[in-house]
Every structure is written in C-alpha cells, then in structure tokens.
C-alpha cells in the first residue's frame, strides 16, 4: 500500500514537473515574440568552448536589414517558409521517399526549426533533439508572426566562427551595416549558413560560389515581393 502510494506521488510530481516545464517554455517563447533575445544557446555554447575568443553580435530590427537578406535565406534554406506551420511535413515526406529510393538522407529543417535550435538547443543529429526542435518550431510558428521568426533567425544565425547575426556579419565581411547589403552579398552570407564553421564568406570556395549563383537564381524566381505579405 505504502509503496503504491509512493509511486503515485512520484508520477504526480513528474507530471506536474512536465506541465510546469511546458508552461515555462510557452511563456519564454511568448516573451521573445516581443522582447529581443539577449543571446542564444549557440552563442553561449561558443563562449563556453572558446574561452578568450571574442564574439561579435549586434541586434538590429528587420527594418534595418536589407530586403535582399531575408529573401536570400528563404531562397537558400526554406522556400516554403511563408506557407508551412513551422515544420514542413511535405518536405519531410519527400526526403524520406528519396531515402527509401536509395538516395542520401537530406535535411528538411525549416527556418523556424533552425531558429528554435539556435535559440534554445544544442547542435547534434539525435532524434530526441530533432523531436524537441520540431515541437518548439510548431510552438514558435503558433505564437510568432512569420516576420518575427525571420527577424530572430537573422539576428542569431552563425555566419562564421564567433560571428552571430547579420549585422555583425555585414560589418565583419563587408564593412557596412546590414541595411546596405546588396543582392550578391546577401546571397554570399546565405550560402555559408549550412556550415559556417567550414564555409567562408571572405574566401569562398568554388562550392560556395556555386551556391551563391544558385541562390541568386532562386531569388530571381521568387521575386522581391515573395515575402511582402508575411
């Protein structure tokens, strides 16, 4: 009897703990709809792993970012961004279908998922982290407007070792504020996002240059008005 009662109390406490954690996450996500995050999990991780190395980061509102930049990252990373719910289930279905057909398993992460990962989580390829990332992305998409997702993403994305956010990247690589980025410069920044620790903005490889040309072509196809009604 006592043992059964103790087990029920443990389950009750664990349930309350899970509910409390979920409520806390919802509150934090809701707050960040209106308040700019002062840092991110990835920035904190960099500071812990790279003691003594500098970190460049400066928040700028969307109105101070060149209109080419959000178009470049959408063209490069997530062309269905205006239409999905934070997780692109169609892209996941297609990726799994290609994998079953014998092709390599490609990523299907959305910009919203990348925002969730960079802001709250850790790097890695575990299914547990991907599941948490997807859940957070659904919550973020439900609580934030699309433009806010893009604003946060562009301000916390890593563009090179210790360089976070489009303003810091624009100043570091082009010596200008983000609002003056050209179409080409925006495409170059977007081209390194898949692996900013290896791909370089200031000394682009032939692979990066190929990606830049492809991104510019996709930007032209989408058109400058593609994100106008977010």
């Amino acid at each position: 009897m006592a043992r059964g009662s103790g087990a029920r109390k443990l389950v009750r406490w664990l349930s309350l703990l899970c509910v409390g954690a979920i409520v806390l996450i919802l509150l934090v996500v809701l707050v960040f709809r209106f308040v700019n995050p002062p840092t991110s999990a990835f920035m904190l991780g960099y500071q812990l792993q790279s003691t003594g190395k500098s970190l460049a980061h400066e928040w700028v509102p969307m109105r101070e970012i060149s209109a080419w930049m959000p178009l470049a990252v959408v063209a490069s990373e997530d062309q269905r961004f205006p239409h999905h719910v934070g997780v692109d289930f169609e892209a996941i279905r297609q990726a799994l279908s290609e994998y079953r057909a014998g092709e390599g398993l490609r990523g299907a992460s959305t910009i919203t998922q990348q925002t969730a990962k960079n802001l709250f989580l850790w790097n890695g390829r575990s299914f547990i982290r991907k599941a948490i990332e997807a859940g957070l992305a659904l919550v973020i998409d439900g609580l934030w407007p699309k433009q806010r997702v893009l604003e946060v993403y562009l301000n916390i994305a890593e563009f090179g070792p210790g360089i976070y956010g489009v303003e810091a990247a624009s100043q570091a690589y082009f010596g200008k504020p983000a609002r003056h980025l050209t179409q080409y410069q925006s495409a170059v920044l977007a081209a390194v996002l898949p692996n900013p620790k290896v791909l370089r903005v200031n000394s682009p490889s032939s692979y990066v240059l190929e990606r830049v040309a492809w991104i510019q072509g996709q930007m032209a196809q989408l058109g400058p008005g593609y994100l106008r009604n977010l």
Side-chain angles (χ1 to χ4, degrees), residues 17-29:
L17 185 63
C18 289
V19 170
I22 292 170
V23 171
L24 179 61
I25 290 168
L26 290 173
L27 287 174
V28 171
V29 172

Side-chain angles (χ1 to χ4, degrees), residues 127-150:
F127 285 107
I128 292 175
R129 201 226 65 197
K130 290 296 291 185
I132 297 172
E133 175 190 298
L136 283 171
L138 292 170
V139 171
I140 288 171
D141 191 84
L143 294 178
W144 295 4
K146 293 282 188 177
Q147 190 173 42
R148 178 59 172 171
V149 177
L150 272 176

